Amino acid sequence: MILLLFVAFLGCRPDKEEKKPILTREGEEVEVKYASGLNIVDFGDHMIITVENPWPNADRTYRYLLAEEGADVSQNIKFDERIKIPVEKIVVTSTTHIPSLEILEAEKLLIGFPGLDYISSEKTRKLISEGKIKEVGKNEALNTESLLDLKPDVVIGFSIDGSNKSFNTLQKSGIPVVFNADWTESSPLGKVEWIKFFGAFLGKMETANAFFEEVEQEYLAARELAKEAKETPTVVAGAMYKDQWYLPAGNSWQALFIKDANANYHFGQTEGTGSLSLSFETVLAEAAHADFWVGPAQFTSYEELKNASQHYTRFEAFKNQNIYTFASEKGETGGVVFYELAPMRPDLVLKDLISIFHPQLLPDYNTTFYKPME
């Protein structure tokens, strides 16, 4: 499961050119600067959200009508789902959705989630312990009976390839299912911008916009700070699963973080926005002398790495104990905090890496996600 999440987080697309809000004949386009798969048009008492590329190589686009009660909606508008807003009962299906709800102070609207143990946030875990959030199976096989009993206003889903039969069952039963494609973004600021998606459903667009702008400013300021470093260290990432080493491709989410932290990722020139699957020999030949090693999958200690494969000890980053992991920070039931919170706080991820690669730029900084391997 950890590997699948790791690979999923790596896969996505690069930044797109910034867009400025435009006025249409009937509505105003909400500014979306970095997220390549999201478009929101505000008509006052209703909105149209368009989700492009909801999964890799998707062959269709989804349009959702979000309407207040009594909204004056044109008969000519075509949509895949109509949802009354603001929603009062919601089910989400990815831990990456949890921070958005909490940031918008809407976690109490969450009534169901598949795989409760993966949730790390203390605030949401308290609601789980109080029985206010129900277990609803797995994303690939949701417990439709439980969901029908819960009667959510909307289920926010995601799909790897668009073949989730549970979603079809729910839709036929009258429960709206909406795809969220934050995970397909490779741009760090593109991922966090999907908080505007939740802002639309919850009637909290102003709060969502304000949060995004704050994170954007912090991220861009940190990126500028990183440029002041006089040296550019070299970096390798990932780890082996069975006989293959999985690591981020050159335009992936994690690779872009490394670049923005002013470090030289050994596989930064590779094509693609997902993950690479390489032989150990290929990685060793390219990155044996890398200064740092970040994100070694699920490993949290040098002993674990050594026991998994003696070959890991051949890397200078291992010998010099310059390996940093995000897998050691977990919630009380074992969920990795990075997978949940990092997409909404790319500014903290970037500052973590800057403090590791260029400690003189952020003296006395305490990292949030990346910790020295034990």
Side-chain angles (χ1 to χ4, degrees), residues 73-296:
V73 180
S74 169
Q75 297 296 318
N76 296 325
I77 293 180
K78 297 181 179 180
F79 50 85
D80 293 285
E81 293 280 10
R82 177 170 180 156
I83 300 95
K84 178 184 173 183
I85 57 169
V87 298
E88 298 176 354
K89 296 191 299 180
I90 190 170
V91 168
V92 300
T93 55
S94 170
T95 56
T96 63
H97 303 158
I98 301 298
S100 291
L101 297 181
E102 294 188 355
I103 290 162
L104 299 174
E105 299 182 340
E107 67 275 2
K108 292 183 179 179
L109 304 183
L110 181 64
I111 59 173
F113 185 86
L116 292 175
D117 286 349
Y118 289 111
I119 296 177
S120 301
S121 166
E122 293 182 5
K123 186 182 292 187
T124 300
R125 290 228 59 85
K126 185 175 185 295
L127 295 173
I128 294 171
S129 66
E130 294 171 352
K132 296 178 180 178
I133 303 174
K134 304 298 182 182
E135 176 64 63
V136 293
K138 299 179 180 180
N139 182 64
E140 301 81 8
L142 295 173
N143 187 325
T144 53
E145 291 185 5
S146 295
L147 283 166
L148 291 174
D149 289 339
L150 290 173
K151 298 179 181 178
D153 296 326
V154 65
V155 173
I156 306 296
F158 72 94
S159 180
I160 303 299
D161 56 13
S163 60
N164 191 319
K165 295 181 180 180
S166 303
F167 290 164
N168 296 333
T169 301
L170 292 173
Q171 290 171 316
K172 291 177 181 178
S173 301
I175 295 178
V177 176
V178 171
F179 286 111
N180 177 293
D182 60 358
W183 71 279
T184 68
E185 302 285 347
S186 65
S187 157
L189 290 174
K191 284 184 182 291
V192 66
E193 196 161 26
W194 278 80
I195 194 171
K196 297 177 183 180
F197 171 95
F198 285 97
F201 281 90
L202 301 170
K204 297 192 175 186
M205 284 299 300
E206 288 187 9
T207 304
N209 284 326
F211 175 80
F212 171 75
E213 289 172 5
E214 181 179 349
V215 171
E216 178 191 28
Q217 290 172 7
E218 289 292 318
Y219 189 94
L220 296 178
R223 189 169 69 182
E224 287 303 307
L225 176 65
K227 294 178 182 178
E228 297 179 10
K230 296 180 180 180
E231 297 182 356
T232 304
T234 54
V235 182
V236 67
M240 286 191 294
Y241 178 71
K242 295 184 178 179
D243 295 328
Q244 293 293 301
W245 190 304
Y246 291 90
L247 67 168
N251 290 316
S252 66
W253 189 56
Q254 190 170 351
L256 293 176
F257 274 123
I258 296 170
K259 177 182 177 181
D260 285 350
N262 195 7
N264 182 18
Y265 174 47
H266 271 288
F267 295 89
Q269 302 304 314
T270 58
E271 297 294 328
T273 57
S275 63
L276 303 173
S277 175
L278 304 175
S279 68
F280 171 83
E281 291 77 15
T282 298
V283 178
L284 181 67
E286 171 66 28
H289 301 292
D291 297 310
F292 294 95
W293 181 352
V294 298

Side-chain angles (χ1 to χ4, degrees), residues 21-32:
I22 60 172
L23 291 176
T24 66
R25 189 165 59 90
E26 297 177 317
E28 181 177 358
E29 187 173 352
V30 174
E31 183 178 42
V32 177

